[in-house]
Amino acid sequence: MTEHSLWRFSRAFHRAINERQPGDLEALLDEEVDWAIYGPIDMFPFFGSRRGKAAVIEVIRRIAENVRVHRFDRESIILGTDSASSMMRYSLTALDSNKPISLRVAHFAQFKAGRLSSIRVVLDTFDLVEQVLGRDINLPRITSFA
Amino acid sequence: MTEHSLWRFSRAFHRAINERQPGDLEALLDEEVDWAIYGPIDMFPFFGSRRGKAAVIEVIRRIAENVRVHRFDRESIILGTDSASSMMRYSLTALDSNKPISLRVAHFAQFKAGRLSSIRVVLDTFDLVEQVLGRDINLPRITSFA
């Protein structure tokens, strides 16, 4: 039984972030890879959509300039033949402020011939923004419950 | 081939929200169901964790008081034997303001004997908060890119 493409990708991704060594990762990206991390791009310019290997390597380089991964736990994972989704909890450090950030992340990935062809990432972005700002954003309570 | 538990659950869930008929859903929840929607509970008291069938039925009733589902598209889906994850895009209406809300949602569900035993939901919460407030929250740009 061969190893699922997710594991190889995950190792290369974390090495690209923490050791700033994107070499392994480059070989695991489809030329036409379709990449999206949904979130406020005004604050986090490395969020949003990217298309193609060069653009994805560049955005990963930018993420690596901003955070270091301390640990991650996969809380849920479902593997398909050429697909994988996980719900993960990341412990990060923001490199500019040295602040710890704890982040819940869901990703859906598609692989083609062992290479990442598509990934979509959803985060609890409000929680992230508050952690990075270092303060709560005042919110109204929207509902009037009986 | 029997239908995956996800489809039955999904139909019953949407019926519980839009028609306020939780009867079908009740039969599809494990007694000890473990439920979490990650997001700012100060603004959305129906987010957060719930444990057990009664608490989940109650939180769904509260969601149904606040939103109506217009449509949803499953953009990605991975089915396991007793598990399922999807990335979905919802078009909702907030019932108090009549405002349209567009929401990206990732869920991970576990089933036991055809009943939901665990679900975890991650949303792009910052985008949701801005839509419900009806204005942008001013954010600093955190990174200084070369």
Side-chain angles (χ1 to χ4, degrees), chain B residues 11-48:
Chain B
R11 284 196 302 272
F13 175 75
H14 290 105
R15 185 149 188 255
I17 298 295
N18 276 3
E19 301 169 32
R20 304 194 183 183
Q21 297 290 346
D24 295 354
L25 190 68
E26 219 169 320
L28 298 177
L29 295 171
D30 188 89
E31 288 298 333
E32 302 302 319
V33 55
D34 190 7
W35 170 285
I37 305 177
Y38 300 107
I41 57 175
D42 291 347
M43 188 170 187
F44 306 103
F46 44 84
F47 284 179

Side-chain angles (χ1 to χ4, degrees), chain A residues 1 10 19 27-28 37 40 64 68 92 94 101 108 112 126 129-132:
Chain A
M1 198 174 156
S10 176
E19 301 169 32
L28 298 177
I37 304 177
R68 182 168 313 264
L92 307 171
I101 294 172
F108 288 74
K112 208 187 275 178
F126 188 80
V129 166
E130 285 195 330
Q131 288 182 61
V132 172

Side-chain angles (χ1 to χ4, degrees), chain A residues 12 16 21-31 53-54 57 60 115:
Chain A
Q21 296 291 345
D24 295 353
L25 190 67
E26 218 168 321
L28 298 177
L29 295 171
D30 188 90
E31 288 297 333
K53 188 190 275 203
I57 290 287
I60 288 170
R115 293 192 178 88

Side-chain angles (χ1 to χ4, degrees), chain A residues 38 43 45 62 66 78 84-87 96 104 108 120 122-126 132-133 140-143 145, chain B residues 38 42-45 66 78 84-87 96 104 108 120 122-126 132 140-143 145:
Chain A
Y38 300 107
M43 188 169 186
R62 290 180 169 199
N66 282 278
I78 307 184
S85 61
S86 337
M87 166 103 51
D96 60 342
R104 201 173 301 270
F108 288 74
R120 298 268 171 275
V122 179
L123 325 168
D124 183 357
T125 42
F126 188 80
V132 172
L133 292 177
R141 194 178 171 96
I142 59 153
T143 54
F145 286 150
Chain B
Y38 300 107
D42 291 347
M43 188 170 187
F44 306 103
N66 284 278
I78 307 183
S85 61
S86 337
M87 166 102 52
D96 61 340
R104 200 172 303 268
F108 288 76
R120 298 268 171 275
V122 179
L123 324 168
D124 183 356
T125 41
F126 188 80
V132 172
R141 193 180 173 93
I142 59 151
T143 55
F145 286 150

Side-chain angles (χ1 to χ4, degrees), chain A residues 68-82:
Chain A
R68 182 168 313 264
V69 175
H70 275 292
R71 73 178 271 178
F72 61 97
D73 298 300
R74 265 179 233 276
E75 299 181 325
S76 307
I77 173 153
I78 307 184
L79 300 176
T81 313
D82 282 313

Side-chain angles (χ1 to χ4, degrees), chain A residues 20 46 61-68 93-96, chain B residues 142-145:
Chain A
R20 304 193 182 183
F46 45 84
R61 188 182 71 71
R62 290 180 169 199
I63 294 171
E65 285 173 356
N66 282 278
V67 298
R68 182 168 313 264
T93 303
L95 293 179
D96 60 342
Chain B
I142 59 151
T143 55
S144 53
F145 286 150

Side-chain angles (χ1 to χ4, degrees), chain B residues 4-17:
Chain B
H4 195 284
S5 303
L6 177 68
W7 308 125
R8 220 160 37 227
F9 177 78
S10 175
R11 284 196 302 272
F13 175 75
H14 290 105
R15 185 149 188 255
I17 298 295

